[in-house]
Amino acid sequence: MIVADLKTSIPENSSANGNVVPSRKLNWQAAGRALRHRNFQLFFSGQLISLIGTWMQTVAQSWLVYRKTGSGLLLGSVGFASQIPVFLFAPIGGITADRSNRQRVVIATQTASMLLALILAALTLTNRVTVREIFVLAALLGVVNAFDIPGRQAFLVDMVGKDDLMNAIALNSSMFNGARVIGPAVAGVLVARLGEGWCFFANGVSYIAVIAGLFMMNVHAPAKASAHSSPLEHIIEGFQFVNRTGPIRALLMLLGLVSMTGMPYVVLMPIFADKILHQGGQHLASIIGSHDLGAVRLGILMGAAGVGALLGALTLAVRTGVKGLSRWVSVCCAGFGVSLIFFAFSKSFWLSVLLLLPVGYFIMLQMASSNTLIQVMVPDALRGRTMAVYSMMFMGLAPIGALLGGALSDRLGAPWTVAIGGFASVIGAWWFNAHLPKVRAEARKLIIAQAMAGGEPAEEMTKTASED
């Protein structure tokens, strides 16, 4: 499929199929093919602004908790409070996405997130915020995310259709990680110069862009699941589908393992910035006139992981088929684990910055590839509920890992905690690679079936599904 002109906007959910196989020279042009859709253009531009604010709040909140407590355990506990609601409530969020208009669901969740950010900003700027309020607001945001993540992921197919779904997922990941590069860097400067409260305020204001874009969309997003059956029956149906579908089950099990064991490195990053890698960042701090070196170093470290993750998402965006993605998942999981182990024991600030590039690259490529494979295998009627299970594995298990990671870091130290997570990721990659031959044939059948369900399957889809 070739996109001749990315400036041409597709007004509704339609997509254009071509009969010419794309050449390698057009890969970068094809990387933006989902942006032909006007709805996705609005979503992309609004989300980019909003996500910069989200990353600013993430970094500032971590630094605020660490500044007030100096505890790795409490850092992990706040991470636990912000994400455990996803594990608990994502099944309800998934059935809501399947039984409701997904556009309205996303508008509601983005509005709620904006209000929570502004409340946190008001408390912080008036010097009334305590760790207790941070915990409560983090938990409430987690409840919102339990509805937002499955709704937003399932909404992608409504905006671009199935032909451009893989590219939309990759661009969505690129946008997320582009913001991950900018947000922490801006947060590091703002926290050092003005304090955490202004980061929270900027995040609250940034939601206006995405909410405005959602209201401007003209998208057909009807309920996919019948409202005649009970919500409990629909939730059980979603879990049963995931459990009996070998390829999806394997992808989600690996995702859950990495989220629980490997991803806590993010929660522990303030400890690395303050106590372990304390010999870097002085020059940049002097340029911006900041005396809070820890906040500056934290912004640089988080930004480096974001750069790597952005490159990983762009690597997926230039692909035009799903062939070989399952192998990418296992290779990237192993690469993430190995890079994390090297990072854990680095004592040089700038070497650690460089090591975070492959850390971010590999984990994002694994996550985005897993998301793509799951979405091309799942029926539309079960998309929201399947993405709810994806949310439980991706974000829902992360708080358990954050809590365990925080506790381990107080006993073993942050480096050993991060290294153990990296080793567990390598073991998970080995298991997935060994399990892969057993589920490959089923995955091909599912991909072809879902391509046929959307009409005449794209040539790239049937070709990649029938080849190894």
Side-chain angles (χ1 to χ4, degrees):
M1 181 170 62
I2 288 182
V3 179
D5 185 2
L6 292 180
K7 296 180 181 178
T8 302
S9 177
I10 298 178
E12 299 276 344
N13 296 352
S14 58
S15 59
N17 286 330
N19 297 320
V20 184
V21 178
S23 67
R24 292 184 182 273
K25 294 181 180 179
L26 295 177
N27 274 355
W28 284 106
Q29 185 182 29
R33 59 190 178 276
L35 290 170
R36 298 175 303 155
H37 303 264
R38 177 180 177 274
N39 293 321
F40 190 73
Q41 291 170 6
L42 291 169
F43 177 81
F44 188 91
S45 55
Q47 276 287 105
L48 180 59
I49 297 171
S50 177
L51 285 170
I52 291 174
T54 299
W55 275 107
M56 289 172 63
Q57 175 161 321
T58 299
V59 173
Q61 181 175 284
S62 294
W63 189 250
L64 178 61
V65 172
Y66 184 71
R67 180 172 61 82
K68 284 182 170 292
T69 67
S71 170
L73 178 59
L74 283 176
L75 271 175
S77 299
V78 171
F80 180 87
S82 67
Q83 293 180 320
I84 194 62
V86 177
F87 186 80
L88 298 175
F89 296 106
I92 303 175
I95 191 55
T96 301
D98 282 341
R99 290 167 65 107
S100 308
N101 182 296
R102 291 167 182 165
Q103 183 181 10
R104 294 174 185 170
V105 170
V106 179
I107 289 173
T109 58
Q110 295 295 294
T111 303
S113 298
M114 177 181 67
L115 294 175
L116 291 172
L118 292 175
I119 291 171
L120 181 58
L123 290 172
T124 306
L125 290 172
T126 56
N127 295 318
R128 297 178 181 176
V129 71
T130 66
V131 175
R132 179 181 299 176
E133 281 84 13
I134 296 173
F135 267 89
V136 172
L137 290 171
L140 290 174
L141 183 60
V143 174
V144 173
N145 284 333
F147 290 83
D148 180 70
I149 297 171
R152 186 153 36 90
Q153 291 291 336
F155 187 47
L156 287 175
V157 75
D158 295 327
M159 287 188 283
V160 303
K162 288 187 176 180
D163 285 349
D164 290 330
L165 177 60
M166 173 177 161
N167 184 247
I169 293 170
L171 289 177
N172 191 47
S173 299
S174 302
M175 171 177 55
F176 179 85
N177 288 289
R180 186 179 177 182
V181 176
I182 301 171
V186 175
V189 175
L190 278 183
V191 169
R193 297 294 299 270
L194 301 176
E196 297 88 354
W198 288 107
C199 289
F200 304 146
F201 178 77
N203 180 39
V205 172
S206 72
Y207 280 102
I208 296 174
V210 67
I211 293 171
L214 287 165
F215 273 112
M216 291 169 64
M217 288 183 186
N218 181 18
V219 61
H220 183 61
K224 305 296 183 181
S226 170
H228 297 299
S229 301
S230 72
L232 181 60
E233 289 176 351
H234 274 158
I235 291 173
I236 293 173
E237 181 186 15
F239 280 110
Q240 288 175 337
F241 170 77
V242 170
N243 185 57
R244 69 171 180 264
T245 309
I248 294 178
R249 185 178 65 243
L251 286 166
L252 291 176
M253 288 178 65
L254 181 63
L255 194 64
L257 173 68
V258 173
S259 295
M260 189 166 64
T261 61
M263 290 307 292
Y265 88 91
V266 178
V267 176
L268 300 175
M269 198 63 72
I271 299 177
F272 281 90
D274 184 53
K275 294 183 178 179
I276 299 172
L277 306 171
H278 49 75
Q279 296 299 320
Q282 289 90 342
H283 182 65
L284 179 60
S286 64
I287 292 176
I288 65 175
S290 169
H291 299 289
D292 194 343
L293 289 175
V296 173
R297 283 193 291 264
L298 179 60
I300 295 172
L301 290 169
M302 296 289 287
V307 170
L310 176 61
L311 294 175
L314 290 175
T315 300
L316 184 64
V318 300
R319 288 182 59 101
T320 55
V322 296
K323 179 183 178 182
L325 278 190
S326 57
R327 188 70 65 186
W328 279 28
V329 169
S330 58
V331 171
C332 289
C333 184
F336 168 72
V338 171
S339 302
L340 206 57
I341 292 171
F342 281 118
F343 167 78
F345 295 112
S346 169
K347 301 299 181 183
S348 166
F349 175 74
W350 291 110
L351 175 60
S352 296
V353 170
L354 290 176
L355 287 170
L356 283 173
L357 292 173
V359 168
Y361 179 87
F362 287 126
I363 191 59
M364 180 44 58
L365 201 48
Q366 180 200 339
M367 299 291 183
S369 297
S370 298
N371 189 338
T372 299
L373 287 168
I374 291 169
Q375 293 238 38
V376 299
M377 289 189 282
V378 66
D380 278 346
L382 287 161
R383 190 176 303 277
R385 282 164 284 177
T386 302
M387 296 317 296
V389 182
Y390 172 88
S391 303
M392 293 171 69
M393 297 296 105
F394 178 39
M395 284 191 67
L397 288 179
I400 299 174
L403 190 62
L404 292 175
L408 278 177
S409 70
D410 280 352
R411 289 179 173 270
L412 302 178
W416 275 106
T417 301
V418 171
I420 290 171
F423 180 73
S425 299
V426 173
I427 296 299
W430 170 83
W431 169 85
F432 182 82
N433 191 61
H435 196 68
L436 199 55
K438 302 175 185 177
V439 299
R440 184 176 283 126
E442 183 182 358
R444 291 172 181 153
K445 292 177 182 178
L446 287 166
I447 293 170
I448 293 175
Q450 297 316 311
M452 291 295 293
E456 186 66 24
E459 180 182 353
E460 66 177 37
M461 186 66 73
T462 55
K463 181 178 179 181
T464 53
S466 60
E467 296 179 359
D468 182 13

